[in-house]
Amino acid sequence: LEVVEAAKDSIKKAETRLKKAKKSAVFHHSLFENFTPRQKYDAIFLVHTLEHLDNPVNVLKRAKSWLSKEGLLFIACPNANAPSRQIAVKMGLISHNS
């Protein structure tokens, strides 16, 4: 398992939890926009990531080049039109759904 993470404290927390569980992972402290892998991957998971990027299409194109010939890209994004987001707009907590 390899993880690309921009927040150093998130890496430290994950490393601590993995150590307690006697498991391990390789962490890359980087933005996706700057990350260059050393190998191709059979599976890439972008989980709640794209909505935080300035140019998600560019990152998707980059991620495609990181996949092996038969590799798969899995993406999970929150629903910008979810009722909770719509309520937050009406309450003035956020300016727009997305």
Side-chain angles (χ1 to χ4, degrees):
L1 175 66
E2 294 189 39
V3 179
V4 177
E5 174 57 57
K8 194 72 162 172
D9 9 332
S10 293
I11 292 173
K12 286 181 183 179
K13 286 178 185 177
E15 287 174 331
T16 300
R17 292 177 98 178
L18 286 171
K19 188 175 180 180
K20 287 179 183 176
K22 297 184 179 174
K23 299 186 181 202
S24 65
V26 174
F27 290 91
H28 302 279
H29 181 225
S30 177
L31 298 173
F32 285 103
E33 295 89 341
N34 301 331
F35 179 67
T36 302
R38 295 183 193 145
Q39 65 183 33
K40 299 280 186 178
Y41 300 102
D42 294 328
I44 296 174
F45 293 81
L46 290 174
V47 180
H48 290 250
T49 303
L50 294 178
E51 68 273 16
H52 299 285
L53 303 176
D54 291 333
N55 192 341
V57 173
N58 185 48
V59 170
L60 288 170
K61 287 178 183 176
R62 287 177 53 84
K64 181 180 177 185
S65 73
W66 306 338
L67 289 168
S68 64
K69 185 178 177 184
E70 300 295 321
L72 299 171
L73 177 62
F74 299 88
I75 301 170
C77 289
N79 179 357
N81 291 319
S84 59
R85 305 268 319 159
Q86 293 178 40
I87 292 167
V89 171
K90 295 278 186 197
M91 293 174 65
L93 299 174
I94 57 176
S95 61
H96 50 83
N97 287 10
S98 61

Coordinates of all heavy atoms in Angstrom, one line a residue:
L1 N 0.8 -1.2 0.0 CA 0.0 0.0 0.0 C 0.9 1.2 0.0 O 1.8 1.3 0.8 CB -0.9 0.0 1.2 CG -1.8 1.2 1.4 CD1 -2.8 1.3 0.3 CD2 -2.4 1.2 2.8
E2 N 0.6 2.1 -0.9 CA 1.3 3.4 -1.0 C 0.3 4.5 -0.9 O -0.8 4.4 -1.5 CB 2.1 3.6 -2.2 CG 3.3 2.6 -2.3 CD 4.2 2.9 -3.5 OE1 4.5 4.1 -3.7 OE2 4.7 1.9 -4.1
V3 N 0.6 5.6 -0.2 CA -0.3 6.7 0.1 C 0.3 8.0 -0.3 O 1.4 8.3 0.1 CB -0.8 6.7 1.6 CG1 -1.7 7.9 1.8 CG2 -1.4 5.4 2.0
V4 N -0.4 8.8 -1.1 CA 0.0 10.2 -1.3 C -0.8 11.1 -0.4 O -2.0 11.1 -0.5 CB -0.2 10.5 -2.8 CG1 0.2 12.0 -3.1 CG2 0.6 9.6 -3.7
E5 N -0.1 11.9 0.4 CA -0.8 12.7 1.4 C -0.1 14.0 1.5 O 1.2 14.1 1.7 CB -0.9 12.0 2.7 CG -1.5 12.9 3.8 CD -2.8 13.4 3.5 OE1 -3.8 12.6 3.2 OE2 -3.0 14.6 3.6
A6 N -0.8 15.1 1.4 CA -0.2 16.5 1.5 C 0.0 16.9 2.9 O 0.9 17.8 3.2 CB -1.1 17.5 0.8
A7 N -0.7 16.4 3.9 CA -0.7 16.9 5.3 C 0.3 16.0 6.1 O 0.0 14.8 6.3 CB -2.0 16.9 5.9
K8 N 1.4 16.5 6.5 CA 2.4 15.8 7.3 C 1.8 15.2 8.5 O 2.1 14.1 8.9 CB 3.6 16.7 7.6 CG 4.8 16.0 8.1 CD 5.5 15.3 7.0 CE 6.9 14.9 7.3 NZ 7.5 14.0 6.3
D9 N 0.9 15.9 9.3 CA 0.4 15.4 10.5 C -0.6 14.2 10.2 O -0.7 13.3 11.0 CB -0.4 16.4 11.4 CG -0.6 17.7 10.8 OD1 0.1 18.2 9.9 OD2 -1.6 18.4 11.2
S10 N -1.2 14.2 9.1 CA -2.1 13.0 8.7 C -1.2 11.8 8.5 O -1.6 10.7 8.9 CB -2.9 13.3 7.5 OG -3.8 14.3 7.7
I11 N 0.0 12.0 7.9 CA 0.9 10.9 7.7 C 1.4 10.3 9.1 O 1.4 9.1 9.3 CB 2.1 11.3 6.8 CG1 1.6 11.6 5.4 CG2 3.2 10.2 6.9 CD1 2.7 12.2 4.5
K12 N 1.7 11.3 10.0 CA 2.2 10.8 11.3 C 1.1 10.0 12.0 O 1.4 9.0 12.6 CB 2.6 12.0 12.1 CG 4.0 12.6 11.6 CD 4.4 13.8 12.5 CE 5.7 14.4 12.0 NZ 6.1 15.6 12.7
K13 N -0.1 10.5 12.0 CA -1.2 9.8 12.6 C -1.4 8.4 12.0 O -1.6 7.5 12.8 CB -2.5 10.6 12.5 CG -2.6 11.8 13.4 CD -3.8 12.6 13.2 CE -3.8 13.9 14.0 NZ -5.1 14.7 13.8
A14 N -1.4 8.3 10.7 CA -1.6 7.1 10.1 C -0.4 6.1 10.4 O -0.7 4.9 10.7 CB -1.7 7.3 8.6
E15 N 0.8 6.6 10.4 CA 1.9 5.8 10.7 C 1.8 5.2 12.2 O 2.1 4.0 12.4 CB 3.2 6.5 10.6 CG 3.6 6.8 9.1 CD 4.8 7.6 8.9 OE1 5.1 8.5 9.8 OE2 5.5 7.5 7.9
T16 N 1.4 6.1 13.1 CA 1.2 5.6 14.5 C 0.1 4.5 14.6 O 0.3 3.5 15.2 CB 0.8 6.8 15.4 OG1 1.8 7.8 15.3 CG2 0.6 6.4 16.8
R17 N -1.0 4.7 13.9 CA -2.1 3.7 13.9 C -1.6 2.4 13.3 O -1.9 1.3 13.8 CB -3.3 4.2 13.2 CG -3.9 5.4 14.0 CD -5.1 5.9 13.3 NE -6.3 5.3 13.8 CZ -7.5 5.6 13.4 NH1 -7.7 6.5 12.4 NH2 -8.6 5.1 14.0
L18 N -0.9 2.5 12.2 CA -0.4 1.3 11.5 C 0.6 0.5 12.4 O 0.6 -0.7 12.4 CB 0.2 1.6 10.2 CG -0.8 2.0 9.1 CD1 0.0 2.6 7.9 CD2 -1.6 0.8 8.7
K19 N 1.5 1.3 13.0 CA 2.5 0.7 13.9 C 1.8 -0.1 15.0 O 2.2 -1.2 15.3 CB 3.4 1.7 14.5 CG 4.6 1.2 15.2 CD 5.5 2.3 15.7 CE 6.7 1.7 16.4 NZ 7.6 2.7 16.9
K20 N 0.7 0.5 15.6 CA 0.0 -0.2 16.7 C -0.7 -1.5 16.2 O -0.8 -2.5 16.9 CB -1.1 0.7 17.3 CG -0.5 1.8 18.2 CD -1.6 2.7 18.7 CE -1.0 3.8 19.5 NZ -2.0 4.8 20.0
A21 N -1.1 -1.4 14.9 CA -1.8 -2.6 14.3 C -0.8 -3.6 13.7 O -1.2 -4.6 13.1 CB -2.8 -2.1 13.2
K22 N 0.5 -3.2 13.8 CA 1.6 -4.1 13.3 C 1.5 -4.2 11.8 O 1.6 -5.3 11.2 CB 1.7 -5.4 14.0 CG 2.0 -5.3 15.4 CD 2.2 -6.6 16.1 CE 2.6 -6.3 17.6 NZ 2.6 -7.5 18.4
K23 N 1.1 -3.1 11.1 CA 1.0 -3.1 9.7 C 1.8 -1.9 9.2 O 2.3 -1.1 9.9 CB -0.5 -2.9 9.3 CG -1.3 -4.1 9.8 CD -2.7 -4.0 9.2 CE -3.5 -5.2 9.8 NZ -4.6 -5.5 9.1
S24 N 2.0 -1.9 7.9 CA 2.8 -0.8 7.3 C 2.3 -0.3 6.0 O 1.5 -1.0 5.3 CB 4.3 -1.2 7.2 OG 4.4 -2.3 6.2
A25 N 2.8 0.8 5.6 CA 2.5 1.4 4.3 C 3.6 2.4 3.9 O 4.3 2.8 4.8 CB 1.1 2.2 4.3
V26 N 3.7 2.7 2.7 CA 4.7 3.7 2.2 C 3.9 5.0 2.0 O 2.9 5.0 1.3 CB 5.4 3.2 0.9 CG1 6.3 4.3 0.4 CG2 6.1 1.9 1.1
F27 N 4.4 6.1 2.7 CA 3.8 7.4 2.5 C 4.6 8.3 1.7 O 5.8 8.3 1.9 CB 3.5 8.0 3.9 CG 2.5 7.3 4.7 CD1 2.8 6.2 5.6 CD2 1.1 7.6 4.6 CE1 1.8 5.5 6.3 CE2 0.1 6.9 5.3 CZ 0.5 5.9 6.1
H28 N 3.9 9.0 0.8 CA 4.6 10.0 0.0 C 4.0 11.4 0.4 O 2.8 11.6 0.2 CB 4.3 9.8 -1.5 CG 4.8 8.5 -2.0 ND1 6.1 8.2 -2.3 CD2 4.1 7.3 -2.2 CE1 6.2 6.9 -2.7 NE2 5.0 6.4 -2.6
H29 N 4.8 12.2 1.0 CA 4.4 13.5 1.4 C 4.5 14.5 0.2 O 5.5 15.0 -0.2 CB 5.3 14.1 2.6 CG 4.8 15.4 3.0 ND1 5.7 16.4 3.3 CD2 3.6 15.9 3.3 CE1 5.1 17.5 3.7 NE2 3.8 17.2 3.7
S30 N 3.3 14.6 -0.5 CA 3.3 15.3 -1.7 C 1.8 15.7 -2.1 O 0.9 15.1 -1.7 CB 3.9 14.4 -2.8 OG 3.8 15.1 -4.1
L31 N 1.7 16.7 -2.9 CA 0.5 17.0 -3.6 C 0.4 16.1 -4.8 O 1.4 15.7 -5.4 CB 0.4 18.5 -4.1 CG 0.5 19.5 -3.0 CD1 0.6 20.9 -3.7 CD2 -0.7 19.5 -2.1
F32 N -0.8 15.7 -5.2 CA -1.0 14.9 -6.4 C -0.4 15.6 -7.6 O 0.1 15.0 -8.5 CB -2.5 14.6 -6.7 CG -3.0 13.5 -5.7 CD1 -3.8 13.9 -4.7 CD2 -2.7 12.2 -5.9 CE1 -4.3 12.9 -3.8 CE2 -3.2 11.2 -5.1 CZ -4.0 11.6 -4.0
E33 N -0.5 16.9 -7.6 CA 0.0 17.7 -8.8 C 1.5 17.6 -8.9 O 2.0 17.8 -10.0 CB -0.4 19.2 -8.6 CG -1.9 19.5 -8.6 CD -2.6 19.4 -7.3 OE1 -2.0 18.8 -6.3 OE2 -3.7 19.9 -7.2
N34 N 2.2 17.3 -7.8 CA 3.7 17.2 -7.9 C 4.2 15.8 -7.8 O 5.4 15.5 -8.0 CB 4.2 18.0 -6.7 CG 3.8 19.4 -6.7 OD1 3.6 20.0 -7.8 ND2 3.7 20.0 -5.6
F35 N 3.3 14.8 -7.5 CA 3.8 13.4 -7.3 C 4.2 12.8 -8.6 O 3.5 12.9 -9.6 CB 2.6 12.6 -6.6 CG 3.0 11.2 -6.4 CD1 3.9 10.8 -5.4 CD2 2.3 10.2 -7.1 CE1 4.2 9.5 -5.2 CE2 2.6 8.9 -6.8 CZ 3.6 8.5 -5.9
T36 N 5.3 12.1 -8.5 CA 5.8 11.2 -9.6 C 6.1 9.9 -9.0 O 7.1 9.7 -8.3 CB 7.1 11.8 -10.3 OG1 6.8 13.2 -10.7 CG2 7.5 11.0 -11.4
P37 N 5.4 8.9 -9.4 CA 5.6 7.5 -8.9 C 6.8 6.9 -9.5 O 7.3 7.2 -10.6 CB 4.3 6.8 -9.3 CG 3.8 7.4 -10.5 CD 4.2 8.9 -10.3
R38 N 7.4 5.9 -8.8 CA 8.5 5.1 -9.2 C 8.1 3.9 -10.0 O 8.9 3.2 -10.6 CB 9.4 4.7 -8.0 CG 10.0 5.9 -7.3 CD 10.9 5.5 -6.2 NE 11.2 6.6 -5.4 CZ 11.3 6.6 -4.1 NH1 11.2 5.4 -3.4 NH2 11.6 7.7 -3.4
Q39 N 6.8 3.6 -10.0 CA 6.3 2.4 -10.6 C 4.9 2.7 -11.1 O 4.3 3.7 -10.8 CB 6.3 1.3 -9.6 CG 5.3 1.5 -8.5 CD 5.3 0.4 -7.4 OE1 6.4 -0.2 -7.2 NE2 4.2 0.2 -6.8
K40 N 4.3 1.7 -11.9 CA 2.9 1.7 -12.3 C 2.1 1.0 -11.2 O 2.6 0.0 -10.6 CB 2.8 1.1 -13.7 CG 3.5 1.8 -14.8 CD 2.8 3.0 -15.3 CE 3.5 3.5 -16.5 NZ 2.9 4.7 -17.0
Y41 N 0.8 1.3 -11.1 CA 0.0 0.7 -10.1 C -1.2 -0.1 -10.8 O -1.7 0.4 -11.8 CB -0.6 1.8 -9.2 CG 0.5 2.5 -8.4 CD1 0.8 3.8 -8.8 CD2 1.1 2.0 -7.3 CE1 1.8 4.5 -8.1 CE2 2.1 2.6 -6.6 CZ 2.5 3.9 -7.0 OH 3.4 4.6 -6.4
D42 N -1.6 -1.1 -10.1 CA -2.7 -1.9 -10.6 C -4.0 -1.3 -10.2 O -5.1 -1.6 -10.8 CB -2.6 -3.4 -10.1 CG -1.4 -4.1 -10.7 OD1 -1.1 -3.8 -11.9 OD2 -0.9 -5.0 -10.0
A43 N -4.0 -0.5 -9.1 CA -5.2 0.1 -8.6 C -4.8 1.4 -7.9 O -3.9 1.5 -7.1 CB -5.9 -0.8 -7.6
I44 N -5.6 2.5 -8.2 CA -5.4 3.8 -7.6 C -6.8 4.2 -7.1 O -7.8 4.1 -7.8 CB -4.9 4.8 -8.6 CG1 -3.5 4.4 -9.1 CG2 -4.9 6.2 -8.0 CD1 -2.9 5.4 -10.2
F45 N -6.8 4.6 -5.8 CA -8.0 5.1 -5.2 C -7.9 6.6 -4.9 O -7.0 7.0 -4.1 CB -8.3 4.3 -3.9 CG -8.6 2.9 -4.1 CD1 -7.5 2.0 -4.3 CD2 -9.9 2.4 -4.0 CE1 -7.8 0.6 -4.4 CE2 -10.1 1.0 -4.2 CZ -9.1 0.1 -4.4
L46 N -8.8 7.4 -5.5 CA -8.8 8.8 -5.1 C -10.1 9.0 -4.3 O -11.2 9.0 -4.9 CB -8.9 9.7 -6.4 CG -7.6 9.7 -7.2 CD1 -7.9 10.5 -8.5 CD2 -6.5 10.4 -6.4
V47 N -10.0 9.1 -3.0 CA -11.1 9.1 -2.1 C -11.2 10.5 -1.5 O -10.3 10.9 -0.8 CB -11.0 8.0 -1.0 CG1 -12.2 8.0 -0.1 CG2 -10.8 6.6 -1.7
H48 N -12.3 11.1 -1.8 CA -12.6 12.5 -1.3 C -11.4 13.4 -1.5 O -10.9 14.1 -0.6 CB -13.0 12.5 0.2 CG -14.3 11.9 0.4 ND1 -15.4 12.6 0.8 CD2 -14.8 10.6 0.2 CE1 -16.5 11.8 0.9 NE2 -16.1 10.6 0.5
T49 N -10.9 13.4 -2.8 CA -9.7 14.1 -3.2 C -10.0 15.2 -4.2 O -9.6 16.3 -4.1 CB -8.7 13.1 -3.7 OG1 -8.4 12.2 -2.8 CG2 -7.4 13.9 -4.1
L50 N -10.7 14.8 -5.3 CA -10.9 15.7 -6.4 C -11.6 17.0 -6.1 O -11.2 18.0 -6.6 CB -11.7 15.0 -7.5 CG -11.1 13.8 -8.2 CD1 -12.0 13.1 -9.2 CD2 -9.7 14.1 -8.8
E51 N -12.5 17.0 -5.1 CA -13.2 18.2 -4.7 C -12.3 19.2 -4.1 O -12.7 20.4 -3.9 CB -14.4 17.9 -3.9 CG -14.1 17.4 -2.5 CD -13.9 15.9 -2.4 OE1 -13.7 15.2 -3.4 OE2 -13.9 15.4 -1.2
H52 N -11.1 18.8 -3.7 CA -10.1 19.7 -3.0 C -9.1 20.3 -4.0 O -8.3 21.1 -3.6 CB -9.4 19.0 -1.9 CG -10.3 18.6 -0.8 ND1 -10.9 19.4 0.1 CD2 -10.8 17.3 -0.5 CE1 -11.7 18.7 0.9 NE2 -11.7 17.5 0.5
L53 N -9.1 19.9 -5.2 CA -8.1 20.3 -6.2 C -8.5 21.4 -7.1 O -9.7 21.6 -7.4 CB -7.7 19.1 -7.1 CG -7.3 17.8 -6.4 CD1 -7.1 16.7 -7.4 CD2 -6.0 18.0 -5.6
D54 N -7.5 22.3 -7.4 CA -7.8 23.4 -8.3 C -8.0 22.9 -9.7 O -8.8 23.5 -10.5 CB -6.7 24.4 -8.3 CG -6.6 25.1 -7.0 OD1 -7.6 25.3 -6.3 OD2 -5.5 25.6 -6.6
N55 N -7.3 21.9 -10.1 CA -7.4 21.4 -11.5 C -7.6 19.8 -11.5 O -6.6 19.1 -11.8 CB -6.2 21.8 -12.3 CG -6.4 21.5 -13.8 OD1 -7.3 20.7 -14.2 ND2 -5.6 22.1 -14.6
P56 N -8.8 19.3 -11.1 CA -9.0 17.9 -11.0 C -8.8 17.1 -12.3 O -8.3 16.0 -12.3 CB -10.4 17.7 -10.5 CG -11.1 19.0 -10.8 CD -10.0 20.1 -10.8
V57 N -9.1 17.7 -13.4 CA -9.0 17.1 -14.7 C -7.5 16.8 -15.0 O -7.1 15.7 -15.4 CB -9.6 17.9 -15.9 CG1 -9.3 17.3 -17.2 CG2 -11.1 18.0 -15.7
N58 N -6.6 17.7 -14.7 CA -5.2 17.5 -14.8 C -4.7 16.3 -14.0 O -3.9 15.5 -14.4 CB -4.4 18.8 -14.5 CG -2.9 18.6 -14.8 OD1 -2.5 18.2 -15.8 ND2 -2.1 19.1 -13.8
V59 N -5.1 16.3 -12.7 CA -4.7 15.2 -11.8 C -5.3 13.9 -12.3 O -4.5 12.9 -12.3 CB -5.2 15.5 -10.4 CG1 -5.0 14.3 -9.5 CG2 -4.5 16.7 -9.8
L60 N -6.5 13.8 -12.9 CA -7.0 12.6 -13.4 C -6.1 12.1 -14.6 O -5.9 10.9 -14.8 CB -8.4 12.7 -13.8 CG -9.4 12.8 -12.7 CD1 -10.8 13.2 -13.2 CD2 -9.5 11.5 -11.9
K61 N -5.7 13.0 -15.4 CA -4.9 12.7 -16.6 C -3.5 12.1 -16.1 O -3.0 11.2 -16.6 CB -4.6 13.9 -17.5 CG -5.8 14.3 -18.3 CD -5.6 15.5 -19.1 CE -6.8 15.9 -19.9 NZ -6.6 17.2 -20.6
R62 N -3.0 12.8 -15.0 CA -1.7 12.3 -14.5 C -1.9 10.9 -13.9 O -1.1 10.0 -14.1 CB -1.2 13.3 -13.4 CG -0.6 14.6 -13.9 CD -0.2 15.5 -12.8 NE 0.7 14.9 -11.9 CZ 2.0 14.8 -12.0 NH1 2.6 15.3 -13.1 NH2 2.8 14.3 -11.1
A63 N -3.0 10.7 -13.1 CA -3.2 9.4 -12.5 C -3.4 8.3 -13.5 O -2.9 7.2 -13.3 CB -4.5 9.5 -11.6
K64 N -3.9 8.6 -14.6 CA -4.1 7.6 -15.7 C -2.7 7.1 -16.1 O -2.5 5.9 -16.4 CB -4.8 8.2 -16.9 CG -5.0 7.2 -18.0 CD -5.7 7.9 -19.2 CE -5.8 6.9 -20.3 NZ -6.4 7.5 -21.5
S65 N -1.7 8.0 -16.2 CA -0.4 7.6 -16.6 C 0.4 6.8 -15.5 O 1.4 6.2 -15.8 CB 0.5 8.8 -16.9 OG 0.9 9.5 -15.8
W66 N -0.2 6.8 -14.3 CA 0.4 6.0 -13.2 C -0.1 4.5 -13.2 O 0.4 3.7 -12.4 CB 0.1 6.6 -11.8 CG 0.5 8.0 -11.7 CD1 1.4 8.7 -12.4 CD2 0.0 9.0 -10.8 NE1 1.5 10.0 -12.0 CE2 0.6 10.2 -11.0 CE3 -1.0 8.9 -9.8 CZ2 0.3 11.3 -10.2 CZ3 -1.3 10.0 -9.0 CH2 -0.6 11.2 -9.2
L67 N -1.1 4.3 -14.0 CA -1.7 2.9 -14.0 C -1.0 2.0 -14.9 O -0.5 2.3 -15.9 CB -3.2 3.0 -14.5 CG -4.2 3.7 -13.5 CD1 -5.5 3.9 -14.2 CD2 -4.4 2.8 -12.3
S68 N -0.9 0.7 -14.4 CA -0.4 -0.4 -15.3 C -1.4 -0.6 -16.4 O -2.5 0.0 -16.4 CB -0.2 -1.7 -14.5 OG -1.5 -2.1 -14.0
K69 N -1.0 -1.4 -17.4 CA -1.8 -1.7 -18.6 C -3.2 -2.1 -18.2 O -4.2 -1.6 -18.8 CB -1.1 -2.7 -19.4 CG -1.8 -3.0 -20.7 CD -1.1 -4.0 -21.6 CE -1.9 -4.2 -22.9 NZ -1.3 -5.3 -23.7
E70 N -3.4 -2.9 -17.2 CA -4.7 -3.4 -16.8 C -5.2 -2.7 -15.5 O -6.2 -3.1 -14.9 CB -4.7 -4.9 -16.5 CG -4.3 -5.7 -17.7 CD -5.3 -5.7 -18.9 OE1 -6.5 -5.7 -18.6 OE2 -4.9 -5.6 -20.0
G71 N -4.5 -1.6 -15.1 CA -4.8 -0.9 -13.9 C -6.2 -0.3 -13.9 O -6.8 0.1 -14.9
L72 N -6.7 -0.1 -12.7 CA -8.1 0.5 -12.5 C -8.0 1.7 -11.6 O -7.2 1.7 -10.6 CB -9.0 -0.5 -11.9 CG -9.3 -1.8 -12.7 CD1 -10.1 -2.8 -11.9 CD2 -10.0 -1.4 -14.0
L73 N -8.8 2.7 -11.9 CA -8.8 4.0 -11.1 C -10.2 4.0 -10.4 O -11.2 3.9 -11.1 CB -8.7 5.2 -12.0 CG -8.8 6.6 -11.3 CD1 -7.7 6.8 -10.3 CD2 -8.7 7.7 -12.4
F74 N -10.2 4.1 -9.1 CA -11.4 4.1 -8.3 C -11.6 5.5 -7.7 O -10.6 6.0 -7.1 CB -11.4 3.1 -7.2 CG -11.3 1.7 -7.7 CD1 -10.1 1.1 -7.9 CD2 -12.4 0.9 -7.9 CE1 -10.0 -0.2 -8.3 CE2 -12.3 -0.4 -8.4 CZ -11.1 -0.9 -8.6
I75 N -12.7 6.1 -7.9 CA -12.9 7.5 -7.4 C -14.2 7.6 -6.6 O -15.2 7.1 -6.9 CB -13.1 8.5 -8.6 CG1 -11.9 8.4 -9.5 CG2 -13.4 9.9 -8.2 CD1 -12.0 9.2 -10.8
A76 N -14.0 8.3 -5.4 CA -15.2 8.5 -4.6 C -15.2 10.0 -4.3 O -14.2 10.6 -3.8 CB -15.1 7.8 -3.3
C77 N -16.3 10.7 -4.6 CA -16.5 12.1 -4.3 C -17.8 12.4 -3.6 O -18.8 11.7 -3.9 CB -16.5 12.9 -5.6 SG -15.0 13.0 -6.5
P78 N -17.8 13.3 -2.7 CA -19.1 13.6 -2.0 C -20.0 14.3 -3.0 O -19.6 14.9 -4.0 CB -18.7 14.6 -1.0 CG -17.4 15.2 -1.4 CD -16.7 14.2 -2.2
N79 N -21.3 14.1 -2.8 CA -22.4 14.6 -3.6 C -22.6 16.1 -3.3 O -23.1 16.4 -2.2 CB -23.6 13.8 -3.4 CG -24.8 14.3 -4.2 OD1 -24.7 15.3 -4.9 ND2 -25.9 13.6 -4.1
A80 N -22.2 17.0 -4.2 CA -22.4 18.4 -3.9 C -23.8 18.8 -3.8 O -24.1 19.8 -3.1 CB -21.7 19.2 -5.1
N81 N -24.8 18.0 -4.3 CA -26.2 18.4 -4.2 C -26.9 17.6 -3.0 O -28.1 17.5 -3.0 CB -26.9 18.1 -5.5 CG -26.4 19.1 -6.5 OD1 -26.3 20.3 -6.2 ND2 -26.2 18.7 -7.7
A82 N -26.1 17.0 -2.2 CA -26.7 16.3 -1.0 C -27.5 17.2 -0.2 O -27.2 18.4 -0.1 CB -25.6 15.6 -0.2
P83 N -28.6 16.7 0.4 CA -29.4 17.6 1.3 C -28.6 18.4 2.3 O -28.8 19.6 2.6 CB -30.4 16.7 1.9 CG -30.5 15.5 0.9 CD -29.1 15.4 0.3
S84 N -27.6 17.7 2.9 CA -26.8 18.4 4.0 C -26.0 19.6 3.4 O -25.9 20.7 4.1 CB -25.8 17.4 4.6 OG -24.9 16.9 3.5
R85 N -25.6 19.5 2.1 CA -24.9 20.7 1.5 C -25.9 21.8 1.2 O -25.6 23.0 1.4 CB -24.2 20.2 0.2 CG -23.2 19.1 0.4 CD -21.8 19.4 0.6 NE -21.2 20.5 -0.1 CZ -20.1 21.1 0.3 NH1 -19.6 20.7 1.5 NH2 -19.6 22.1 -0.3
Q86 N -27.1 21.4 0.7 CA -28.1 22.4 0.4 C -28.6 23.1 1.7 O -28.8 24.3 1.7 CB -29.3 21.7 -0.3 CG -29.0 21.1 -1.6 CD -30.1 20.4 -2.3 OE1 -31.3 20.9 -2.2 NE2 -29.8 19.3 -2.9
I87 N -28.7 22.4 2.8 CA -29.1 23.0 4.0 C -28.0 24.0 4.5 O -28.3 25.1 5.0 CB -29.4 21.9 5.1 CG1 -30.7 21.2 4.7 CG2 -29.5 22.5 6.5 CD1 -30.9 19.9 5.5
A88 N -26.7 23.5 4.4 CA -25.6 24.4 4.8 C -25.6 25.7 4.0 O -25.3 26.8 4.5 CB -24.3 23.7 4.6
V89 N -26.0 25.7 2.7 CA -26.1 26.9 1.9 C -27.2 27.8 2.4 O -27.0 29.0 2.7 CB -26.3 26.6 0.4 CG1 -26.6 27.8 -0.4 CG2 -25.1 25.9 -0.2
K90 N -28.3 27.2 2.7 CA -29.5 28.0 3.2 C -29.2 28.6 4.6 O -29.6 29.7 4.9 CB -30.7 27.1 3.3 CG -31.3 26.5 2.0 CD -32.1 27.5 1.3 CE -32.7 26.9 0.1 NZ -33.3 27.9 -0.8
M91 N -28.4 27.9 5.4 CA -28.0 28.4 6.7 C -26.9 29.4 6.6 O -26.6 30.1 7.6 CB -27.6 27.2 7.6 CG -28.7 26.3 8.0 SD -28.1 24.9 8.9 CE -27.5 25.7 10.4
G92 N -26.3 29.6 5.4 CA -25.2 30.5 5.3 C -23.9 30.0 5.8 O -22.9 30.8 5.9
L93 N -23.8 28.7 6.0 CA -22.5 28.1 6.5 C -21.5 28.0 5.3 O -20.3 28.0 5.6 CB -22.8 26.7 7.1 CG -23.7 26.8 8.3 CD1 -24.0 25.3 8.8 CD2 -23.0 27.5 9.5
I94 N -22.0 27.8 4.1 CA -21.2 27.7 2.9 C -21.8 28.6 1.8 O -23.1 28.8 1.9 CB -20.9 26.3 2.4 CG1 -22.2 25.5 2.1 CG2 -20.0 25.5 3.4 CD1 -22.0 24.1 1.6
S95 N -21.1 29.0 0.9 CA -21.6 30.0 -0.1 C -22.3 29.2 -1.3 O -23.2 29.8 -1.9 CB -20.6 30.9 -0.7 OG -19.5 30.1 -1.3
H96 N -22.0 28.0 -1.6 CA -22.6 27.3 -2.7 C -22.4 25.8 -2.4 O -21.5 25.3 -1.6 CB -22.0 27.7 -4.0 CG -20.5 27.6 -4.0 ND1 -19.8 26.5 -4.3 CD2 -19.6 28.6 -3.9 CE1 -18.5 26.7 -4.2 NE2 -18.3 28.0 -4.0
N97 N -23.2 24.9 -3.1 CA -23.2 23.5 -2.9 C -21.8 22.9 -3.1 O -21.4 22.0 -2.4 CB -24.2 22.8 -3.8 CG -25.6 23.0 -3.3 OD1 -25.9 23.8 -2.4 ND2 -26.5 22.3 -3.9
S98 N -21.1 23.3 -4.2 CA -19.9 22.6 -4.5 C -18.7 23.3 -4.0 O -17.6 23.0 -4.1 CB -19.8 22.5 -6.0 OG -19.8 23.7 -6.7

